[in-house]
Amino acid sequence: MAHHQDAIAPHGGKLINRMASAEQRAELLDKADTLPRVQLDERSQSDLELIAIGGFSPLTGFMEQEDYTNVVHNMRLSNGLPWSVPITLSVTEEEAAHLSEGSLIRLDSPEGKFVGVLELTQKYTYDKEQEAIHVYRTNDNKHPGVKVVYEQGPVNLAGPVWLLKREAHPLFPNYQIDPADSRSLFREREWKTIVGFQTRNPIHRAHEYIQKCALETVDGLFLHPLVGATKSDDIPADVRMRCYEILMERYYPQNRVILAINPAAMRYAGPREAIFHAMVRKNYGCTHFIVGRDHAGVGDYYGTYDAQHIFDEFEPAELGITPMKFEHAFYCTLTKGMATSKTSPSNPEQRIHLSGTKVREMLRRGEMPPPEFSRPEVAAELIKAMRVPSEA
């Protein structure tokens, strides 16, 4: 078969790989008991994995101060490349005191298992409030992203990382498609244009509508739900994945859609996170990225379409990936189909809109949302999950 070039280069031009070779791993395991250790939380473990598999290319580790400051204030790395969210590893002053620059640090999972190493190049303090205001546009600690910043340690550890071993995902091993794999799948299918879709919510008719609108103009759809840490009241990842599987089986053209998990943690940074989500999907090989209403938002911290406007602050060529901006879709009782205000002549009373909150309340009561909102098989799956008191 002729070799097909990738549809788009990774961010920064090269797909980063920070997975230890068998040899490196053996060497590191030998030193395991002598290295100073830092325990990661769920989010920094996700970040470590994404750096290692190239999902965060061009990052090779946790950010040094110059990159960190530039990202917080200017949405760029120190070399000028767009990057909108700081990727840092924070520890307490006590922990930092025992670590010296130039040394290897053992990184343990939240469960205490040796998962990676950090070549510590820098320790630095940072201004939490500045990070909150610039990245999240608020310093309100009720904001879930700001709360994380305020609760983490005051010292950042920086430097290149190595992941000891790429473990299979405990829940979704078949959907763990890393950037090198997704790129080779897109090449195999000879897709030249691929649109990525980010979600942390169960998929409903409005999502399905905008995905299919996008699919009318590109070769393939990369459905890429986020399965890292989310808020406790978000619907658990396994339930969301079952909903996707149902839709894929019954309502989507099998040969034009790939479902894969995004191991990232949710930051709820609204507009900045929309840019971040687009950069990550570019690394997975997507040429286009769907940005809907209040992308990655939470509460009412962000304007409805702020996450779309932020893309205009960059030259299209420097982002590389093309945003596809969609308005909020609804079921239109006038035209008897899914639509947005761009395509429907209806007035607000003729539109069936249901908020996620409202749908969650219905599901908890065991009520079926209307078919205009959700496919019945998906609604049934959600009801089953919501009525069982969930641990998540």
Side-chain angles (χ1 to χ4, degrees):
M1 185 183 127
H3 176 70
H4 286 275
Q5 282 297 302
D6 285 353
I8 191 171
H11 198 45
K14 175 169 164 275
L15 195 65
I16 298 299
N17 174 359
R18 301 295 295 181
M19 282 187 270
S21 64
E23 217 169 307
Q24 276 174 309
R25 202 164 133 234
E27 210 176 297
L28 292 168
L29 287 168
D30 273 351
K31 296 183 187 162
D33 297 330
T34 60
L35 297 176
R37 57 181 79 185
V38 166
Q39 190 162 14
L40 303 172
D41 59 14
E42 194 182 351
R43 175 157 120 180
S44 42
Q45 186 177 1
S46 285
D47 288 347
L48 167 67
E49 277 180 32
L50 277 147
I51 293 166
I53 62 176
F56 287 175
S57 300
L59 305 189
T60 55
F62 292 103
M63 288 179 176
E64 291 193 351
Q65 190 163 15
E66 197 187 352
D67 275 336
Y68 167 82
T69 309
N70 243 304
V71 166
V72 168
H73 292 275
N74 312 316
M75 291 196 288
R76 292 175 186 277
L77 297 170
S78 54
N79 66 3
L81 199 68
W83 192 272
S84 54
V85 168
I87 304 296
T88 52
L89 175 58
S90 308
V91 294
T92 63
E93 280 166 337
E94 295 72 45
E95 284 178 292
H98 302 297
L99 308 172
S100 45
E101 292 179 358
S103 63
L104 276 187
I105 314 294
R106 165 179 165 166
L107 302 176
D108 284 0
S109 70
E111 301 72 43
K113 186 171 168 255
F114 183 14
V115 290
V117 291
L118 167 70
E119 299 170 15
L120 185 63
T121 55
Q122 228 183 37
K123 305 187 282 188
Y124 61 94
T125 55
Y126 61 103
D127 185 329
K128 292 183 176 190
E129 192 167 20
Q130 283 295 307
E131 182 174 329
I133 286 168
H134 287 281
V135 177
Y136 298 97
R137 299 190 179 183
T138 175
N139 56 3
D140 178 0
N141 64 4
K142 290 191 190 67
H143 182 295
V146 172
K147 185 171 183 280
V148 169
V149 175
Y150 285 175
E151 286 174 358
Q152 69 196 16
V155 182
N156 284 341
L157 304 180
V161 293
W162 292 100
L163 182 68
L164 278 195
K165 183 170 176 241
R166 184 71 176 122
E167 301 282 358
H169 192 281
L171 293 176
F172 318 111
N174 302 342
Y175 293 110
Q176 182 171 291
I177 302 174
D178 290 345
D181 310 321
S182 53
R183 286 171 168 273
S184 91
L185 277 172
F186 301 159
R187 277 199 304 275
E188 261 167 50
R189 298 192 179 199
E190 298 186 18
W191 289 354
K192 294 275 178 279
T193 47
I194 303 102
V195 66
F197 184 82
Q198 146 69 30
T199 161
R200 68 174 198 262
N201 290 318
I203 204 156
H204 48 66
R205 293 287 301 273
H207 294 144
E208 184 186 329
Y209 173 75
I210 62 178
Q211 287 163 11
K212 287 180 173 173
C213 284
L215 202 44
E216 290 288 0
T217 62
V218 297
D219 299 335
L221 168 67
F222 189 53
L223 260 186
H224 207 210
L226 180 141
V227 299
T230 55
K231 303 197 304 323
S232 56
D233 60 344
D234 280 344
I235 290 185
D238 56 330
V239 177
R240 292 184 280 127
M241 287 299 283
R242 281 202 302 279
C243 296
Y244 289 116
E245 289 172 336
I246 292 168
L247 281 172
M248 292 274 292
E249 276 161 34
R250 309 198 179 176
Y251 295 104
Y252 282 70
Q254 296 282 310
N255 59 341
R256 295 196 57 217
V257 186
I258 291 172
L259 173 64
I261 53 171
N262 174 12
M266 197 61 207
R267 286 167 162 86
Y268 304 97
R272 286 242 192 170
E273 194 160 10
I275 295 284
F276 175 57
H277 282 162
M279 298 298 92
V280 171
R281 290 350 186 277
K282 175 185 178 183
N283 287 329
Y284 275 85
C286 296
T287 55
H288 292 70
F289 182 62
I290 292 173
V291 187
R293 166 184 152 271
D294 196 24
H295 184 103
V298 62
D300 46 16
Y301 290 100
Y302 310 111
T304 312
Y305 294 107
D306 284 0
Q308 296 183 354
H309 303 322
I310 196 170
F311 280 84
D312 304 333
E313 296 179 29
F314 296 90
E315 289 299 323
E318 42 174 14
L319 292 180
I321 187 168
T322 307
M324 295 179 96
K325 303 174 182 181
F326 284 94
E327 293 207 354
H328 193 28
F330 47 79
Y331 183 85
C332 169
T333 56
L334 185 69
T335 59
K336 303 282 186 287
M338 297 302 296
T340 73
S341 54
K342 285 184 172 173
T343 53
S344 160
S346 58
N347 62 39
E349 291 71 62
Q350 296 166 308
R351 301 169 183 180
I352 297 179
H353 267 299
L354 284 181
S355 73
T357 316
K358 198 158 171 188
V359 171
R360 280 199 288 271
E361 285 165 8
M362 290 181 79
L363 296 169
R364 280 201 189 95
R365 294 195 296 266
E367 288 171 27
M368 272 295 220
E372 297 85 358
F373 179 79
S374 175
R375 297 289 187 185
E377 304 90 332
V378 169
E381 193 59 54
L382 291 171
I383 285 176
K384 198 164 79 185
M386 300 288 277
R387 298 187 75 178
V388 180
S390 129
E391 288 299 296

